[in-house]
Amino acid sequence: MVPSTATSALDELRDALSETAAELRGERPAPSQAPTLERPPRAELGDYSTNAAMLLAPVLKAAPRQIAEQLGEGLVARLGDQLDHVEVAGPGFLNVFLADAWYADAVARVLAAGDAVGAGEPGEAGPLRINVEFVSANPTGPLHVGHARNAAYGDALSRLLSFLGHEVHREFYVNDNGSQVRKFGESLQAHGRGEPPPADGYQGDYVAEIAAAIGDAGDGDPEAVARRGIELMLERLRTTLATFRVDFDTWFSERDLHVGEPSAVQHAFDVLAEQGRTYRHEGALWLRTTEFGDDKDRVLERSSGEHTYFASDIAYHQEKRERGFDRLVDVWGADHHGYVRRMHAAFEALGGRPDELDLLIMQFVNLVDRGERTSMSKRRGDFVSLDELIAEIGVDAARWYLLNRSHDTTIDLDLELARRETNENPVYYVQYAHARIASILARAGEDAVAEALARFAPPARLEPAERDLIKKALAFGTEVAEAAERRAPHRIAAYALEFAQTFTAFYRDCPVLGAQPEGVEAFRLGLCVVSRRIIGRSLGLLGVSAPESM
RNA sequence: GCGCCCGUAGCUCAGUGGAUAGAGCGCCCGCCUCCGGAGCGGGAGGCCGAAGGUUCGAAUCCUUCCGGGCGCGCCA
């Protein structure tokens, strides 16, 4: 009989625990902190461990260890032969030792979940419409490694949120308006005429290439040259990003915010004015961001009548709100962090709720040369481009390298080292485990695997490596949920590596093909299928390929 | 001066209230009759920047300080 997949075995364990705790508590208030149910640091401390008794102690005014005893009795009564035994340890931990029957049931449910393993529920609020805006590099130059990090992160986050069932819209905000664009046009034009670029203009081979592609860049309207140059640059960005496995649903033009009657910018001003958030001072239009925690009010429209960049950004966020998203996620570079507070303030001034806007800051990628940090300057054409990074170490290694770390730590990238370490990159270890499983399953043959899944049944006695593998597999759903909630795709990379290591230990200790006695091979083939799905999914969430062979 | 991020093994980094702080790389010692050795086992290596505080319990939360990075415009 196939067990229900509605809840995981781990969820049921958690439920049994909280029911027991509620019973002990009676009418008294629940502790402010939710109890943990996690794998203890050492195997002799059980399969799972909870701190529930220690949290209940102040509420029940009793000794933690005594409460743990009672919790243990309750669990024994509820779980029956699924439980081997419980132990009270240390200051009041309750350590749970599960029977093989529990593992067998748990892994059968994971197997039954198929490709949805780990997907879980989108959350209490249900599926959300989420707009993720990322990269948004100025279209006046190629993407460098900083953009690469932003791209890998925004993409992986989008994949995570989609996997959890949210409706994700990926967006690139194109800064095709303002002085940078004019400067770009002037640089192209100078090149077209064979003149040196303006003092603060753009340099680098790509400027010459774009100028050549335009053909008559030297003549005509500088603004038209700039616009054409940006179109060509955007094509390049799109190509590079596609190679990096990053796609966008919308490329949103900043210029569009200024056209129409009323323009989006004017409309945003109206919305703010209706709420009494703006005022005129010395000929300029100001927004009262100080009412929402900013340290000074900000100018929206200069006394000259021109709009500030901030005004565009506000109009853009209002436009996204009106498109009906439940959440707006912006992935910004570290150089924009000073901008976060005022953007939040403006968002609230527009009438948005603080939790509807998520502003995430990516820390820098520093280029390191022989231990010294070097700077990246786009105008000097002096930087490592995403294209170069891909050419040097490949998409998989590059994405892993950039996603392996938390978004709020700076990364030192020594290209020399990265190139040398390519073969040592743990991503290959994970991919190798995937390929190895694929090889085992291929050897077994499709029919044998299908039959194994059909008559999947646990053996009388589980090997330790089998139990470890199942435990690791059961953790996948929690890992995915936490990675999404904390906006931390790097957790998936860490999990994938650990899972691959756990599988490799299983592979070492437990022969799959030809395993005896009867039924063991089928059971282990089932474990292989689960493992392949989990590794494949983990890599997929990171945008890294999961090869059948290497 | 003010604000944000960071400080954990030789290096690069995980670890946002639990037990003896982990991984990868590097280093040392072992291991191929066996489903893929891009591997496996073992070892050395830590005052978690410093000092106070909160807590039964702190790398984790609070305060101050030190160090590094990045910002702080009617620029974009």
Side-chain angles (χ1 to χ4, degrees), chain A residues 136-219:
Chain A
S136 299
N138 280 327
T140 51
L143 299 169
H144 56 63
V145 292
H147 299 127
R149 183 183 195 182
N150 190 306
Y153 177 87
D155 178 66
L157 182 60
S158 298
R159 288 169 189 253
L160 259 174
L161 294 170
S162 296
F163 181 53
L164 285 174
H166 298 297
E167 187 187 321
V168 177
H169 190 88
R170 300 141 167 266
E171 196 148 320
F172 186 119
Y173 181 58
V174 182
N175 293 293
D176 53 3
N177 198 42
S179 62
Q180 298 298 326
V181 173
R182 196 173 56 246
K183 230 169 268 174
F184 186 52
E186 287 164 4
S187 302
L188 289 172
Q189 199 144 46
H191 227 288
R193 292 174 182 152
E195 296 165 5
D200 55 350
Y202 290 90
Q203 300 181 35
D205 294 344
Y206 73 93
V207 178
E209 290 164 17
I210 297 288
I214 293 175
D216 56 351
D219 317 315

Side-chain angles (χ1 to χ4, degrees), chain A residues 134 178 217 238 257 294 330 336 372 380 412 496:
Chain A
F134 60 113
R238 218 183 300 256
L257 295 169
D294 198 4
D330 294 8
H336 281 65
E372 292 288 310
R380 284 206 314 273
D412 285 349

Side-chain angles (χ1 to χ4, degrees), chain A residues 388-546:
Chain A
E388 286 169 304
L389 182 66
I390 293 170
E392 291 288 350
I393 69 177
V395 174
D396 287 339
R399 288 190 66 123
W400 185 278
Y401 194 91
L402 294 169
L403 286 172
N404 200 9
R405 297 149 162 81
S406 160
H407 68 87
D408 54 17
T409 188
T410 54
I411 294 180
D412 285 349
L413 175 64
D414 184 331
L415 201 60
E416 206 62 48
L417 193 65
R419 195 184 300 124
R420 233 185 312 130
E421 283 183 348
T422 290
N423 289 321
E424 308 300 335
N425 192 318
V427 73
Y428 295 109
Y429 180 91
V430 179
Q431 290 182 315
Y432 187 76
H434 185 270
R436 175 183 266 159
I437 299 170
S439 167
I440 293 171
L441 294 174
R443 259 173 178 271
E446 268 182 44
D447 296 347
V449 172
E451 195 186 333
L453 297 188
R455 46 188 280 254
F456 181 81
R461 180 104 198 101
L462 292 178
E463 293 296 322
E466 293 172 322
R467 266 198 298 272
D468 287 345
L469 184 61
I470 295 170
K471 260 189 275 189
K472 200 74 199 168
L474 294 178
F476 185 49
T478 313
E479 291 289 341
V480 168
E482 269 192 30
E485 189 182 338
R486 296 183 187 183
R487 312 288 193 240
H490 73 279
R491 284 174 163 261
I492 299 297
Y495 173 82
L497 181 59
E498 286 166 19
F499 190 93
Q501 286 169 329
T502 308
F503 179 83
T504 302
F506 162 79
Y507 169 82
R508 180 192 66 225
D509 295 343
C510 303
V512 176
L513 301 178
Q516 293 297 330
E518 179 69 23
V520 172
E521 183 186 271
F523 178 69
R524 289 180 181 169
L525 281 173
L527 293 182
C528 286
V529 168
V530 165
S531 299
R532 184 172 64 173
R533 282 179 191 153
I534 287 178
I535 295 178
R537 176 65 72 184
S538 298
L539 291 174
L541 288 172
L542 299 171
V544 173
S545 65

Side-chain angles (χ1 to χ4, degrees), chain A residues 268-325:
Chain A
F269 286 179
D270 293 343
V271 171
L272 291 169
E274 276 165 29
Q275 320 227 17
R277 305 300 186 195
T278 54
Y279 62 92
R280 287 269 166 195
H281 177 64
E282 291 180 355
L285 182 68
W286 296 72
L287 176 63
R288 297 181 200 278
T289 49
T290 48
E291 290 182 0
F292 299 97
D294 198 4
D295 38 14
K296 55 174 289 195
D297 288 344
R298 306 289 171 176
V299 171
L300 300 178
E301 188 182 86
R302 291 172 212 140
S303 39
S304 68
E306 289 178 315
H307 298 145
T308 60
Y309 180 79
F310 189 40
S312 298
D313 244 358
I314 292 172
Y316 178 44
H317 283 78
Q318 174 63 17
E319 198 277 343
K320 284 195 277 192
R321 289 185 67 214
E322 291 179 8
R323 265 189 274 162
F325 293 107

Side-chain angles (χ1 to χ4, degrees), chain A residues 349-372:
Chain A
L350 287 166
R353 281 206 328 264
D355 65 308
E356 291 170 334
L357 177 65
D358 217 350
L359 300 176
L360 304 173
I361 296 299
M362 302 299 299
Q363 291 302 318
F364 269 42
V365 178
N366 294 305
L367 287 183
V368 176
D369 185 23
R370 289 180 294 273
E372 292 288 310

